[in-house]
Amino acid sequence: MISKKKFYEMARHERLHYLKKITALPKRDIAIIQDPLSAFNFDDANRMIENAIGMLMLPLGIATDFMVNSREYLVPMAIEEPSVIAAASKAAKIAKRSGGFTAEADKSLMIGQVQLLPLHTPKEIAKQKILSNKNELLHIANSKSRYTIAKDLEVRELQDKSQNNMGEMLIVELIIDTQDSMGANVINTMCETIAPKVEELTGGSVILRILSNYATRRLVRCKAIFAKNELGGEHIVERILYAYAFAYSDIHRAVTHNKGIMNGIDAAALATGQDFRAIEAGAHAYAARDGTYRSLTKWYKTKEGDLAGEIELPVAVGIVGGVVSVHPLAKIALKILGVKTSQELAMILAAAGLAQNLAAIRALASEGIQKGHMKLHARNIAVMAGAKGDLIDSVARRISDENNINIDRAKDILSLLKEAK
Ligand code: MEV
């Protein structure tokens, strides 16, 4: 029987039982969640990176109530920060009451860059030579993969703007459909594979051959309505619009606002084995696409006075290849999510970012975030004060109720509780 309790009210074994029922996770996967070292040990880590000495554990949780394009998802999140999963779930629940998130994602088109110094050939002629041999270059690139397909090739002129004044160069760009993979490895291979031919055609010299993490042809868009009554009324909507005005217009605020968005995106990306640094880099560049760094989300009032939110950003993720194929917990996280394509995963990440942003700016524009944050942090403080077992929650509750969440008070209460035992 599935428990009637809310996910956050369940004990760990009840949560796992619920996941098993809802997502049809096999017993073996549940066992891996309970004991990750049984499936991923030091030898695996040692094969994955260099100079390995151990493994870093991060909490793995589930954000609930994510309705995206009329389908409900349980979103795995790996994160050390309290409040993020609770806040995302709460915002997702509010959105769900107004129909949930509506999202769409571009095809998985990535850009691979080859930097060419034309040297002895005038750049116009070099450019022409490359473009007139486009089909052959695409053919060479495509000889490296059957699954990932180089679809097009473009050439741009670029002038060095640095203090070194290195002059003019040509940037040859492969437009590559990586389908359900993130694609970094194949893109880099394709770039390296066409480089000798590019040099031969132009008599120039190739310097770099690498993908661009600014995945502007792989955008995802997501929106949702948050009913004013669920947010605390019209005046809270108004205050949230001021919060957005601040983030849109001030770079110091925009960075923090976007950090809140990335709390949701990175946590889900990390749990599902994605290269979150690539997503971060692309997202922040996109936030500055008009020349000024701004909020990645857009907030406005609907005719009814409810709050509408939108997010658009590049999200290069994969459900095959890379870490996704080797890390057992990433595979399980993808099974929990139940996504069938990389686009679907990108849409969930965008929804997680939008939800996280709403939750943060709603709290900031009303009671502030410290109340909720510190309440959750109280358990960490209790542990830092030396509490163990049942005493953790007892100490945390007392310092929270007293609104005095600090380590000295936690130590005092711990001594009193121990004496009373
Ligand atoms: C904290 O991790 C994230 C926030 O600072 C985001 C924001 O200020 O919008 C609360």
Side-chain angles (χ1 to χ4, degrees):
M1 226 203 49
I2 294 184
S3 169
K4 290 266 177 296
K5 287 183 195 165
K6 301 207 168 64
F7 198 77
Y8 68 85
E9 293 168 335
M10 295 178 194
R12 185 189 188 194
H13 71 274
E14 293 172 308
R15 290 178 189 159
L16 291 175
H17 181 70
Y18 179 84
L19 276 185
K20 192 162 169 275
K21 286 272 179 230
I22 297 285
T23 64
L25 272 190
K27 262 196 187 148
R28 166 84 187 128
D29 287 349
I30 299 288
I32 293 174
I33 297 175
Q34 285 172 310
D35 179 15
L37 288 174
S38 67
F40 189 82
N41 58 33
F42 180 74
D43 290 340
D44 300 304
N46 204 25
R47 268 192 298 276
M48 213 177 240
I49 63 160
E50 312 71 41
N51 300 356
I53 56 164
M55 285 187 285
L56 180 73
M57 307 282 185
L58 273 183
L60 176 68
I62 300 285
T64 54
D65 286 305
F66 271 82
M67 176 86 87
V68 183
N69 294 340
S70 306
R71 199 191 133 186
E72 187 146 349
Y73 296 88
L74 292 167
V75 184
M77 290 190 172
I79 190 157
E80 85 299 345
E81 186 173 328
S83 299
V84 169
I85 294 183
S89 305
K90 192 170 169 194
K93 193 167 189 173
I94 298 176
K96 190 160 104 180
R97 294 196 179 119
S98 307
F101 299 90
T102 312
E104 56 172 37
D106 293 344
K107 279 192 171 166
S108 307
L109 293 180
M110 297 289 286
I111 299 167
Q113 300 189 300
V114 176
Q115 179 192 21
L116 173 73
L117 309 185
L119 297 181
H120 315 294
T121 323
K123 64 178 187 315
E124 289 76 18
I125 296 180
K127 191 171 168 182
Q128 258 339 99
K129 284 243 161 110
I130 297 166
L131 288 175
S132 54
N133 287 278
K134 185 200 259 194
N135 286 343
E136 190 185 350
L137 288 165
L138 289 176
H139 184 72
I140 295 171
N142 284 326
S143 67
K144 288 291 163 188
S145 167
R146 268 188 298 161
Y147 180 74
T148 295
I149 304 159
K151 297 258 181 194
D152 203 358
L153 180 148
E154 296 171 5
V155 186
R156 287 192 289 116
E157 291 174 25
L158 190 70
Q159 174 71 44
D160 178 25
K161 297 184 190 103
S162 79
Q163 76 286 1
N164 297 321
N165 214 358
M166 304 297 277
E168 288 184 322
M169 53 201 117
L170 290 179
I171 308 301
V172 182
E173 291 187 334
L174 281 173
I175 313 302
I176 301 169
D177 186 352
T178 64
Q179 310 213 39
D180 282 324
S181 70
M182 189 275 188
N185 266 329
V186 186
I187 300 166
N188 297 342
T189 303
M190 285 184 170
C191 291
E192 291 189 5
T193 308
I194 66 164
K197 186 71 190 172
V198 170
E199 287 184 332
E200 184 195 312
L201 287 169
T202 60
S205 175
V206 164
I207 312 284
L208 301 193
R209 295 142 292 167
I210 188 78
L211 89 164
S212 168
N213 284 125
Y214 193 31
T216 49
R217 300 188 190 221
R218 205 174 183 177
L219 298 179
V220 54
R221 289 162 285 275
C222 178
K223 56 185 176 189
I225 306 283
F226 300 86
K228 58 178 181 286
N229 295 340
E230 303 276 352
L231 296 173
E234 266 169 35
H235 74 290
I236 298 291
V237 171
E238 199 66 18
R239 290 176 70 92
I240 291 175
L241 293 183
Y242 277 111
Y244 166 58
F246 189 8
Y248 184 84
S249 316
D250 177 75
I251 182 169
H252 283 86
R253 175 57 204 151
V255 170
T256 319
H257 177 101
N258 289 342
K259 189 272 183 184
I261 293 172
M262 300 316 288
N263 274 346
I265 295 181
D266 284 349
L270 197 53
T272 54
Q274 307 303 319
D275 181 345
F276 61 93
R277 287 90 56 212
I279 302 174
E280 281 273 348
H284 294 295
Y286 199 67
R289 64 192 176 282
D290 75 359
T292 302
Y293 187 94
R294 299 188 191 285
S295 158
L296 277 165
T297 48
K298 189 155 119 190
W299 295 98
Y300 51 92
K301 222 192 290 185
T302 65
K303 291 201 296 299
E304 294 75 25
D306 296 324
L307 185 71
E310 294 180 12
I311 186 167
E312 180 182 78
L313 77 167
V315 176
V317 286
I319 58 164
V320 293
V323 175
V324 172
S325 305
V326 290
H327 201 297
L329 277 170
K331 284 191 206 170
I332 294 172
L334 282 171
K335 279 193 213 167
I336 293 173
L337 211 42
V339 288
K340 300 274 182 298
T341 63
S342 63
Q343 277 108 329
E344 195 180 352
L345 176 58
M347 292 189 279
I348 310 287
L349 296 195
L354 187 62
Q356 198 57 48
N357 184 222
L358 181 273
I361 55 176
R362 196 211 64 80
L364 287 166
S366 47
E367 73 275 8
I369 57 157
Q370 280 313 84
K371 202 168 145 215
H373 200 80
M374 288 309 282
K375 209 168 163 184
L376 287 166
H377 191 50
R379 277 187 297 185
N380 291 337
I381 300 277
V383 172
M384 281 154 68
K388 291 200 170 62
D390 293 349
L391 286 176
I392 298 174
D393 277 342
S394 310
V395 173
R397 207 171 314 115
R398 282 279 292 274
I399 54 177
S400 247
D401 290 348
E402 287 178 8
N403 202 9
N404 194 4
I405 302 172
N406 71 69
I407 195 155
D408 293 330
R409 183 60 190 147
K411 280 183 181 161
D412 292 346
I413 291 174
L414 183 61
S415 313
L416 290 173
L417 291 174
K418 277 184 176 164
E419 272 167 32
K421 266 200 167 179

